[in-house]
Amino acid sequence: MKKLLLLLLVGALIGIALLPYLLFRQPDMPEGTDLQSPAFSYQEARLLIDRTAWHPETQTFVRQHEIFETMLREIKKAETFIIADFFLWNPWKGGVKGNRELRLLSVELADAFIQKRIQNPEMPILIVTDPINRVYGNLAPDFYNRMADAGIPVVFTELAYLPESNRMYASQLWFWSKFIDFEKGLIGAKPFLPNLFDANGRKLTLSQYLSLFHFKANHRKVLVAGRRACSGTTCL
């Protein structure tokens, strides 16, 4: 009898564990995001390299910022519009330790957009980025607010509309969230966990960790700067 009860208990636990996977349905891609572009033939293509490395013998950084410098030039030369869609755009230094001087690329890029807005108040400029840069909460670097204050729309991608990357995790969270309020509950809202992105940054909440483990992201790195098309002495 005891063995039977034990088997029933184990079976019930396994059933409960598997139930979320049976009920969960992967959301479809949002309309308009599953388009396939036509093939393009590029007559000119150039490899650009960004490199920042520590030279142990000279105790200095070796810097090569071809991509970044090209981006700054394209922002300055833009005449009709700018669309920027960047995944990681923040001042985090990763594994770099100590007070080694690094070029503040994230701030410099934001300053370039703000300066462009000052010079061209009417030019359409749109900034799109991933919510990882605000750590899935309200910890966005100050330069995002500065760009918004300058009149530049800043959009943090809504990742909830994307299909789940971590299906094993997402199914369980989707199911148990129906019974436990992870997002707004006392445990979910209280910052007490270490900051995985910035060792000196503010503590994170359980809710932020739960968002992180979805492994979903707007991973694009795109800059489109519009120019006027000219033919002879006429520009459109």
Side-chain angles (χ1 to χ4, degrees):
M1 187 63 179
K2 292 183 179 180
K3 290 184 178 180
L4 178 60
L5 291 175
L6 180 60
L7 290 174
L8 290 175
L9 178 60
V10 172
L13 293 175
I14 293 175
I16 293 173
L18 294 178
L19 185 60
Y21 302 111
L22 298 176
L23 298 177
F24 181 78
R25 294 292 179 268
Q26 185 76 284
D28 295 328
M29 288 290 290
E31 184 178 355
T33 60
D34 57 349
L35 304 179
Q36 181 176 354
S37 65
F40 289 92
S41 177
Y42 294 96
Q43 301 300 321
E44 296 183 8
R46 184 160 59 99
L47 175 64
L48 302 175
I49 297 175
D50 269 23
R51 182 168 62 109
T52 301
W54 178 253
H55 197 293
E57 295 181 1
T58 63
Q59 292 292 296
T60 59
F61 276 107
V62 177
R63 296 181 176 88
Q64 183 181 7
H65 291 154
E66 294 178 347
I67 299 174
F68 189 72
E69 293 296 342
T70 300
M71 288 167 49
L72 294 181
R73 286 196 297 270
E74 289 300 313
I75 293 171
K76 291 181 180 180
K77 292 179 180 178
E79 298 173 317
T80 55
F81 71 92
I82 303 176
I83 298 176
D85 191 349
F86 296 138
F87 171 43
L88 291 179
W89 187 353
N90 53 66
W92 305 331
K93 295 182 180 180
V96 177
K97 298 179 180 180
N99 296 319
R100 296 173 179 174
E101 291 295 327
L102 292 175
R103 185 178 180 183
L104 298 179
L105 301 177
S106 59
V107 177
E108 192 174 342
L109 181 60
D111 288 342
F113 281 111
I114 293 173
Q115 185 62 31
K116 190 67 176 182
R117 165 57 70 231
I118 295 173
Q119 296 173 351
N120 299 269
E122 303 303 323
M123 176 186 290
I125 302 177
L126 175 63
I127 303 297
V128 183
T129 190
D130 190 89
I132 192 175
N133 296 304
R134 60 184 184 189
V135 200
Y136 308 104
N138 60 355
L139 301 182
D142 177 65
F143 56 76
Y144 284 110
N145 288 330
R146 291 199 293 113
M147 286 191 289
D149 291 341
I152 302 174
V154 178
V155 178
F156 288 89
T157 305
E158 178 53 75
L159 302 179
Y161 293 104
L162 298 179
E164 294 292 343
S165 300
N166 188 354
R167 178 71 180 271
M168 295 290 290
Y169 167 79
S171 299
Q172 292 289 342
L173 183 62
W174 167 81
F175 181 81
W176 293 110
S177 293
K178 297 179 180 297
F179 308 99
I180 303 174
D181 189 353
F182 293 110
E183 298 295 326
K184 298 180 180 179
L186 180 61
I187 297 179
K190 183 180 180 181
F192 68 98
L193 296 170
N195 193 319
L196 301 178
F197 305 99
D198 185 358
N200 297 319
R202 288 161 52 186
K203 297 289 187 179
L204 304 184
T205 66
L206 176 61
S207 177
Q208 288 171 288
Y209 267 71
L210 294 176
S211 297
L212 170 65
F213 293 145
H214 280 282
F215 300 152
K216 294 199 291 186
N218 168 9
H219 219 279
R220 291 187 293 265
K221 301 95 178 173
V222 178
L223 174 66
V224 182
R227 308 270 187 89
R228 291 188 178 90
C230 297
S231 177
T233 58
T234 304
C235 292
L236 304 178

